[in-house]
Amino acid sequence: MTSSRAGVLSAFAATVIWGLSPLYYKLLAEVPALEVLAHRTVWSALIFTAVLVAQRDTRQLRHFADARSFVALVLASLLISLNWGLFILSVQLGWVTETSLGYYMMPLIMVFLGVVVFRERLDRLQWAAVGLAALAVVVLTIGLGHLPWLSLTLAVSFAFYGLIKKRLAAGPVASVTAELLLLLPLALGYLLVVHATGGGAFGQDLRTSFLLIFSGLISALPLIFFSSAARRVNLATLGLLQYLNPTLQFFCAVVIFREGFSSVQAVAFGLIWTGLAIYSTRSIRQEKARRRMSAASPEDVAI
């Protein structure tokens, strides 16, 4: 198997696990969302630490010794914890349609952040794609009578998380491990308090305990797959594969969970899908143009 094909399969596996994860967290609907989040953090931290040790790459944690990197680490930890927690809560409350919309919005919000923070330039078609995402928010706000706060919070929190990660010197596995180790004392402290006061789902029955432990693997495995794919697959392909995640979430919400899907939501999703189609098509063309330029000889470029 070629490196590129292995990368595509890794990215596909990651997005499928993310996309179908609502089915898993629905099985834990009777466990408080904060408790599920705490267990997800604890078991993920153990898995990522084991992976980092197995890779003999623990030296990368030294990147967070200086104050600036540590502050960035704290912010990244808070953002991913917020994102995970809201996602779990939304599954329990039957709001998976909103989560899928948020993850559809996220790539276009990241594009906008690229313009604001890194001064990246967009052409007219790319600006049109970002504008359609903004229009979708307006349509939802007017149609629903309030901001789609859940979708926006999920999209913005993950977009800013990606922005911070882009500036970290450590590799993806090391940085996620550092984030989880930072959150670990909080998660353990919360679980100790819950169990000390007579609550806590862990240990009450084998099924629930296993599901809580396995939530660590459900969280860690796609991140490991995705970090592996990022080194082997071009960004255009990786970006397109990421849309499989919210598509599967949308399928779970509408087909399996039978969540309502109003005409206002249909219009908003249509605008987002159109924007993503425009931006993806443009990105693929730009990637092909870059490949042609890199494949051309210096003499050809000069001519």
Side-chain angles (χ1 to χ4, degrees):
M1 183 182 295
T2 64
S3 177
S4 177
R5 182 175 295 181
V8 170
L9 289 176
S10 294
F12 179 79
T15 52
V16 167
I17 293 171
W18 280 329
L20 296 180
S21 62
L23 298 176
Y24 185 85
Y25 288 107
K26 202 73 168 179
L27 299 175
L28 289 165
E30 295 183 2
V31 181
L34 196 56
E35 189 175 345
V36 177
L37 175 61
H39 276 284
R40 183 177 182 177
T41 302
V42 170
W43 301 112
S44 296
L46 293 176
I47 293 171
F48 267 96
T49 301
V51 170
L52 197 65
V53 170
Q55 292 178 342
R56 298 180 180 179
D57 211 13
T58 54
R59 291 182 180 179
Q60 286 210 47
L61 296 177
R62 296 177 183 177
H63 287 296
F64 303 106
D66 65 280
R68 185 173 181 179
S69 296
F70 184 75
V71 170
L73 178 68
V74 171
L75 290 174
S77 301
L78 293 175
L79 286 170
I80 196 61
S81 186
L82 172 65
N83 193 274
W84 282 4
L86 279 179
F87 178 78
I88 294 167
L89 181 64
S90 67
V91 173
Q92 293 186 344
L93 296 177
W95 297 344
V96 180
T97 306
E98 284 83 349
T99 70
S100 67
L101 178 61
Y103 288 116
Y104 273 126
M105 287 180 175
M106 186 266 293
L108 296 177
I109 290 178
M110 290 191 77
V111 171
F112 180 74
L113 287 178
V115 173
V116 174
V117 178
F118 297 110
R119 305 297 180 186
E120 296 175 358
R121 293 186 178 182
L122 304 181
D123 59 28
R124 291 180 180 178
L125 283 177
Q126 290 169 325
W127 272 117
V130 174
L132 286 172
L135 182 58
V137 174
V138 173
V139 167
L140 284 170
T141 302
I142 295 173
L144 301 177
H146 58 82
L147 273 172
W149 65 269
L150 176 60
S151 301
L152 281 174
T153 304
L154 285 171
V156 171
S157 62
F158 203 82
F160 273 99
Y161 174 74
L163 180 67
I164 293 172
K165 298 278 282 187
K166 189 179 179 71
R167 296 190 167 197
L168 293 177
V173 174
S175 60
V176 173
T177 303
E179 293 159 17
L180 292 169
L181 289 176
L182 192 65
L183 294 167
L184 184 59
L186 295 175
L188 285 173
Y190 172 78
L191 290 174
L192 286 172
V193 170
V194 168
H195 282 271
T197 54
F202 189 80
Q204 297 296 323
D205 63 84
L206 186 61
R207 173 184 174 275
T208 301
S209 299
F210 174 79
L211 288 172
L212 289 171
I213 293 173
F214 202 72
S215 67
L217 189 61
I218 290 291
S219 304
L221 201 57
L223 285 170
I224 293 170
F225 280 146
F226 193 78
S227 63
S228 173
R231 295 192 299 267
R232 302 176 179 182
V233 181
N234 64 64
L235 290 178
T237 302
L238 201 61
L240 287 175
L241 283 170
Q242 284 191 75
Y243 299 143
L244 184 59
N245 171 20
T247 301
L248 288 173
Q249 287 186 25
F250 181 76
F251 175 83
C252 289
V254 176
V255 177
I256 299 177
F257 298 151
R258 302 290 184 179
E259 293 183 10
F261 190 61
S262 66
S263 58
V264 172
Q265 288 174 310
V267 172
F269 269 87
L271 291 169
I272 293 290
W273 288 333
T274 304
L276 288 174
I278 292 171
Y279 187 79
S280 299
T281 302
R282 187 61 178 157
S283 297
I284 291 171
R285 288 177 180 174
Q286 289 177 338
E287 182 69 23
K288 287 181 178 179
R290 280 194 292 269
R291 285 184 180 181
R292 286 195 297 267
M293 289 295 292
S294 62
S297 66
E299 291 80 6
D300 293 334
V301 174
I303 292 171

